[in-house]
């Protein structure tokens, strides 16, 4: 077993060294900065924050994979502060990074620092979140963000029997951080399913906190994706608009961090799981939320196996190092305002209570002990 693993490591590392050696002559590269063919496997990974479980897993998982390939890796987290992320990227480039993997905090502000990096021959991969308004983003690896929202909207549609005409139900919709390009896709995917039921009167929004069109979702976005802010917003809606004994019956939450805050707010307001608890959506399969699913405090989560995203980025890095063009599967959807960024989209999947063991635990994504099983 041990010997086999060592052999595989040697073969993989050897393959990478061979490709590094082979890429010395000029070749072609899809990267902005890779005109001279292949490049060193020196990678800067810039992640948004350690405060959310998924980014810790993403960053550390990817670092381990790339180091296993013999790459030099610098991994940084920026405490959700854009200025900090910009200086981390500058330091990575100054320190010799030839490939940047960036999960942007703010999709609009990284243009200048990435353009400087591109000018120094660096290839940029946008990780999970698109980086807008710049030529200096070469590839994008993510999950199908619109589909994440569609899955949440369809889950609500099915649970409530909306397609069969059931209703009216009280809905409170939430959206993600207005500076995160993904948040718009999540909301639009869900709203394309749900809006017709708002129009037909089957879904009613007592707080009036809805976006009139699916383009002005930012007006109901929670900046920075914070649980505390989502909790405060839900407290406010419940205290101001649910005074006459009416109950909220469904909450569209774009992800798990928001869902956690909303669930706390419902508990404080006296809602009881299994009785008058509303349907609540989520995304990421964070441990606390999977426990909430097991305790009937959350109805579902959209699981994105971040290990697969890491594999995809690892494959992209290998291609760039070898002077080849990385494989992508969507070259039309992700227009960043300056160019359409070639993307590789992975498939998200719905997880409900019955799937926790067979999907999340059996696949090794979570340990049974992580979620109290
Ligand atoms: C990611 C989600 C995550 C959210 C908050 C989004 O860009 O795609 O998985 O829940 O950011 O960190």
């Amino acid at each position: 077993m041990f010997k086999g693993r060592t052999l595989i490591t040697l073969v993989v590392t050897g393959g990478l060294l061979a490709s590094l050696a082979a890429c010395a002559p000029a070749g072609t590269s899809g990267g902005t900065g890779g005109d001279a063919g292949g490049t060193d496997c020196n990678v800067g990974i810039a992640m948004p924050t350690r405060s959310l479980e998924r980014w810790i897993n993403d960053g550390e998982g990817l670092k381990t994979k790339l180091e296993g390939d013999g790459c030099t890796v610098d991994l940084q987290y920026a405490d959700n502060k854009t200025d900090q992320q910009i200086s981390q990227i500058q330091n990575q480039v100054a320190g010799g990074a030839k490939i940047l993997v960036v999960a942007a905090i703010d999709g609009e502000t990284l243009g200048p620092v990435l353009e400087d990096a591109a000018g120094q021959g660096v290839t940029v991969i946008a990780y999970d979140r698109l980086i807008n308004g710049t030529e200096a983003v070469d590839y994008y690896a993510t999950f199908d963000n619109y589909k994440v929202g569609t899955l949440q909207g369809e889950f609500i549609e099915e649970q409530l029997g909306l397609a069969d005409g059931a209703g009216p139900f009280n809905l409170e919709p939430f959206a993600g951080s207005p500076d995160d390009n993904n948040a718009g896709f999540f909301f639009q995917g869900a709203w394309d399913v749900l809006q017709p039921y708002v129009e037909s009167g089957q879904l009613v929004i007592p707080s009036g906190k809805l976006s009139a069109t699916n383009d002005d979702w930012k007006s109901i976005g929670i900046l920075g994706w914070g649980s505390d802010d989502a909790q405060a917003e839900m407290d406010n809606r419940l205290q101001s608009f649910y005074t006459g004994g009416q109950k909220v019956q469904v909450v569209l939450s774009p992800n798990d961090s928001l869902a956690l805050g909303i669930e706390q707010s419902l508990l404080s307001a006296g809602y009881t799981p299994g009785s008058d608890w509303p349907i609540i959506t989520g995304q990421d399969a964070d441990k606390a939320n999977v426990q909430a699913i097991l305790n009937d405090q959350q109805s579902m989560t959209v699981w994105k196996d971040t290990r697969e995203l890491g594999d995809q980025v690892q494959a992209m890095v290998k291609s760039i190092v070898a002077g080849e063009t990385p494989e992508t599967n969507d070259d039309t959807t992700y227009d960043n305002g300056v160019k359409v960024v070639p993307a590789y989209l992975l498939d998200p999947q719905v997880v409900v209570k019955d799937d926790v063991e067979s999907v999340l635990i059996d696949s090794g994504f979570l340990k049974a002990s992580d979620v109290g099983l």
Side-chain angles (χ1 to χ4, degrees):
M1 176 75 173
F2 177 70
K3 270 189 187 158
R5 260 201 213 139
T6 310
L7 185 64
I8 290 167
T9 311
L10 286 174
V11 169
V12 170
T13 313
L16 189 67
L17 289 177
S19 63
L20 281 170
C23 71
T28 52
S29 164
T32 307
D35 299 342
T39 186
D40 292 345
C41 198
N42 189 332
V43 184
I45 306 175
M47 289 280 149
T49 173
R50 279 187 202 280
S51 69
L52 248 82
E53 199 174 298
R54 74 149 291 187
W55 301 116
I56 297 178
N57 295 338
D58 284 58
E60 278 161 14
L62 181 58
K63 183 171 191 274
T64 305
K65 285 179 208 291
L66 294 175
E67 285 177 344
D69 285 348
C71 301
T72 303
V73 181
D74 180 57
L75 168 62
Q76 297 291 333
Y77 288 85
D79 200 17
N80 262 343
K81 296 191 180 86
T82 294
D83 287 352
Q84 203 168 314
Q85 188 163 57
I86 290 172
S87 62
Q88 287 173 341
I89 292 172
Q90 281 165 337
N91 288 341
Q92 287 173 330
V93 174
K98 291 293 169 215
I99 299 170
L100 289 172
V101 179
V102 183
I105 293 161
D106 180 337
E108 308 290 334
T109 52
L110 296 181
V113 69
L114 295 181
E115 282 147 26
D116 281 354
Q120 296 176 58
V122 173
T123 304
V124 178
I125 301 172
Y127 184 94
D128 195 81
R129 300 170 170 175
L130 186 58
I131 298 162
N132 288 314
T134 179
E135 189 65 40
V137 48
D138 298 287
Y139 303 103
Y140 181 33
T142 192
F143 284 83
D144 185 337
N145 294 307
Y146 181 85
K147 187 167 174 193
V148 169
T150 307
L151 293 173
Q152 293 168 339
E154 288 177 350
F155 181 86
I156 290 173
E157 180 184 47
E158 199 186 308
Q159 293 292 306
L160 295 178
L162 294 172
D164 300 329
F169 298 102
N170 292 331
L171 163 73
E172 290 302 329
F174 282 72
S177 191
D179 54 5
D180 179 347
N181 192 65
N182 286 355
F185 281 98
F186 301 149
F187 190 79
Q188 280 156 24
W191 214 236
D192 283 346
V193 178
L194 298 177
Q195 191 176 30
Y197 299 114
V198 176
E199 277 163 16
S200 71
Q202 288 169 266
L203 291 174
V204 176
I205 304 173
S207 69
K209 299 268 181 110
L210 84 159
S211 55
T213 69
N214 67 8
D215 290 333
D216 65 344
W217 61 272
K218 290 184 183 178
S219 65
I220 57 164
I222 302 289
L223 186 64
W225 294 99
S227 299
D228 291 352
D229 291 337
Q231 182 173 352
E233 171 65 16
M234 190 66 183
D235 285 348
N236 182 32
R237 293 192 199 185
L238 291 176
Q239 283 156 18
S240 311
F241 303 102
Y242 290 80
T243 47
Q246 63 177 337
K247 298 275 181 180
V248 58
Q249 290 159 307
V250 51
V251 182
L252 171 68
S253 167
N255 87 333
D256 280 356
S257 62
L258 266 55
L260 215 53
I262 293 162
E263 288 153 17
Q264 282 308 314
S265 172
L266 288 162
L267 279 176
S268 319
Y271 283 77
T272 311
S275 152
D276 56 357
W277 199 261
I279 291 170
I280 306 177
T281 58
Q283 166 184 198
D284 291 334
D286 284 348
K287 288 174 198 157
N289 296 78
V290 174
Q291 289 200 33
I293 291 176
L294 293 171
N295 296 333
D296 297 322
Q297 292 181 3
Q298 186 168 318
S299 315
M300 60 91 88
T301 190
V302 177
W303 178 45
K304 304 189 296 191
D305 189 343
T306 46
R307 295 169 302 182
E308 280 181 33
L309 185 55
D311 289 344
Q312 207 48 53
V313 172
Q314 179 184 27
M316 281 183 170
V317 167
K318 272 190 185 161
S319 300
I320 294 163
V321 168
E324 291 161 3
T325 302
E327 185 191 352
T328 49
N329 64 6
D330 182 330
D331 296 342
T332 55
T333 307
Y334 288 96
D335 187 339
N336 79 347
V338 172
K339 67 192 272 198
V340 176
V341 183
Y344 197 101
L345 302 190
L346 293 155
D347 224 19
Q349 141 181 18
V350 171
V351 166
V352 295
K353 192 173 183 177
D354 279 353
D355 307 320
V356 168
E357 199 138 0
S358 59
V359 177
L360 297 178
I361 293 171
D362 288 356
S363 71
F365 184 76
L366 292 179
K367 293 204 269 303
S369 57
D370 288 339
V371 294
L373 286 178

